[in-house]
Amino acid sequence: MALLPLSARRTATATIAALVAGLTLCTSSIASSAEQRTGHRRPGAARIVGSGDFVLPYLSDKDVRSFSFDAVAAPYSIPRPKIPTGLPVDARGTVRISHHSADQNVTYASEGQVECLVTGPNTATVTALITKVGHEETGSLGKRVGLSVYDGGKGGKADRVGFSWNGVNLLPNSEDAEVGTCMAPAPYAPVVKGGYTVTHAELAPPPPARRRRAPRPASATSDAPTSTRACLNRAAASHASSAYEPHSEAIS
């Protein structure tokens, strides 16, 4: 039975190895591109997480007040009127607000969608649009609220919070004023249970202008297969042009 020449077999083995290496490289490159297209969160983004009960320093009561945060920066992700690119303070996440009235034995709860986050070392200011309320009489559905946090370190014993209602954001006629994005008073209320963790990050510069891509052919249904074929074809062509030479040796 005749076999391929030894040199030819070596060349074929090298070709297969090159194609396998090319496939690995192509797959890695395509996966990386897909991750970028899905908006993978950047490491080191500004954020605030945690839950805590706090007291008002100017009141003495048995009410239980608490805030919970799960917010992360998402710069330039919220188009706004006249600012289609968004802002460096754009953010996403959830804020939960709870106030249990001891006298009425009722808990008033609401939830907001985070839209803005600014941090400094150990501090954060957040605004959110209220999307859920436990009681209609709270009257806050759809409104923007501002909250601030001071992260006093491990254990939360020195943490503090502030918020944009209850007498700290009034108009001259004593009615509540509208809250602007990322606007909240200093964190004046001490946390007595739980705590918060603030991760500070500098505000990001604007992203580079994006070029419009040419329309894809109607037959193109996926980037990955097309990119893989093109990448492998290049690898195969490169190897064939430089590595294959005819040989005369044979073994039987």
Side-chain angles (χ1 to χ4, degrees), residues 168-179:
V168 297
N169 185 41
L170 298 181
L171 295 169
N173 61 2
S174 296
E175 292 184 1
D176 285 336
E178 280 194 29
V179 176

Side-chain angles (χ1 to χ4, degrees), residues 209-248:
R210 295 181 180 179
R211 295 182 179 179
R212 290 188 176 182
R213 295 183 179 180
R216 297 180 182 179
S219 60
T221 58
S222 173
D223 286 344
T226 302
S227 301
T228 303
R229 286 196 298 270
C231 194
L232 287 177
N233 287 340
R234 288 195 299 270
S238 175
H239 181 78
S241 63
S242 60
Y244 183 76
E245 294 180 358
H247 297 275
S248 59

